[in-house]
Amino acid sequence: MPISALTREDLIALDRADTLASFRERFSLPAGVIYLDGNSLGAMPRATAGRVSTMVEQEWGTGLIRSWNDAGWMDLPGRIADKIGRLIGAVPGGMAVGDSTSVNLFKLLGAALAARPERRVILTERGNFPTDLYIAQGLSKLLAQGHEVRMVAPDDIAAALDDSVAVLMLTHVNYHTGAMFNMSGLTEAAHAAGALTVWDLAHSAGAVPVDLAGADADFAIGCGYKYLNGGPGAPAFLYVAPRLLADACFPITGWWGHAAPFSFEAVFRPADGIARATVGTAPIISIAALEVGVDLALEAPMAAVRAKSVAMTDVFARLVQQRCAGHGLEIISPADAAKRGSQVSVAHPNAYPVMQALIAHNVIGDFRAPDVLRFGMTPLYLGFAELWDAVEVLRRVLAEETWKRPQFNVRRSVT
Ligand SMILES: *Cc1c(COP(=O)(O)O)cnc(C)c1O
């Protein structure tokens, strides 16, 4: 890429050289829309509608309950879980799919605290995603043993790892800023302090390289509906290092976690493997939809996805600086690509109406309180020239003050 000012022609050249360009047509995206919100809700793979319709009409409609055996529904959750595991470097046998990210966090955090009964601190980042903080607070209150959720600044985490810390609970890529933690370094530091780790991969799975096995991570969770393109409210995933499974004690013990669910025993006995981290009947239709997105992600080499993601976040940040100077924007994502996930966050005092105006002009990103415009880069279905066009709309919305119109200043429930 040239060091001088970028032109739209430069970006068209990048699109021509893009080895991932053919993935775009595998997604259903409305014409004219520039979608920069795949970090929040991934786009729909074209094959999803057919897969879901076959499942609903044939497997459910005709096969009825026989499909648990005949259509392989029993094996479906484990199969998709293992596929997601390949995207994030999981040790085989540690992955399960189902429930929401929030609920999976509750389960794994509960198991982690039970494994460190003499310690009382859950260490995390103050800027972590709220549900992660709320789950930790709720669990601490429920346990009523004096647990504390200690929230520190990102740079203070390593120093805060002392012998009171039971669990280091972090989101690998911060939802607000896009800043990415060094997973292996912090996991090693946590282990050296005698603590366990729970990593939230909501903004990592399918977006950045993750090597749970290489980092010797203990527990992890993540979303199916962001970069995995599983659809709204898609089932989440969880990971427990198999070395911890035999002693792991989960706070929700449902019949799918039992050693023999169809023995209908009166007393809970945990399953040997990762099944003990599951709870109840898996959402089969949603898992089928998720598999389509995961299969697409597995087709794309992660090195190419990361290279394109880094190029896109670099280009977007440069274009914002180059074309929107003087309009009060401040890029808050790390400038160093090695410390950044697949998004660019830009602060502006009027971020909410600015984003509403962008969306009205078919540039879809999102707003995060109090003042951030969030732009997610999804290498599988986004092109470089679209970044130029998006920044051009941003420039016009700011220069022409379109965002001041009353309709863009009405707060809606989802931002
Ligand atoms: C998106 C996200 C979640 C979402 O949790 P749900 O239970 O699916 O609503 C949780 N944690 C982080 C860090 C996220 O980014």
Side-chain angles (χ1 to χ4, degrees), residues 364-400:
I364 304 181
D366 61 23
F367 162 79
R368 285 295 173 263
D371 62 354
V372 166
L373 301 157
R374 228 173 38 148
F375 301 98
M377 310 292 144
T378 49
L380 294 191
Y381 51 83
L382 205 58
F384 287 93
E386 287 181 290
L387 300 183
W388 176 277
D389 297 342
V391 173
E392 178 55 19
V393 173
L394 175 61
R395 190 192 64 75
R396 285 207 331 261
V397 160
L398 294 168
E400 295 165 16

Side-chain angles (χ1 to χ4, degrees), residues 88 100-102 104-105 108 124 128-133 135 168-175 179-181 183 197-205 208 210 212 217 219-226 236-237:
I88 53 177
S100 64
T101 305
S102 302
N104 284 334
L105 176 59
L108 300 198
T124 189
N128 202 343
F129 190 78
T131 207
D132 298 52
L133 301 175
I135 291 284
L168 174 61
M169 175 189 83
L170 290 176
T171 300
H172 181 222
V173 175
N174 183 283
Y175 79 104
M180 181 161 67
F181 282 117
M183 182 185 291
T197 52
V198 179
W199 287 99
D200 189 330
L201 305 179
H203 292 275
S204 307
V208 300
V210 177
L212 289 173
F219 300 95
I221 49 169
C223 284
Y225 52 81
K226 293 174 178 167
F237 62 85

Side-chain angles (χ1 to χ4, degrees), residues 303-324:
V305 170
R306 176 62 175 162
K308 183 172 173 187
S309 158
V310 166
M312 291 195 123
T313 48
D314 273 341
V315 161
F316 191 84
R318 275 177 68 184
L319 286 175
V320 166
Q321 282 159 340
Q322 181 184 311
R323 313 220 3 110
C324 303

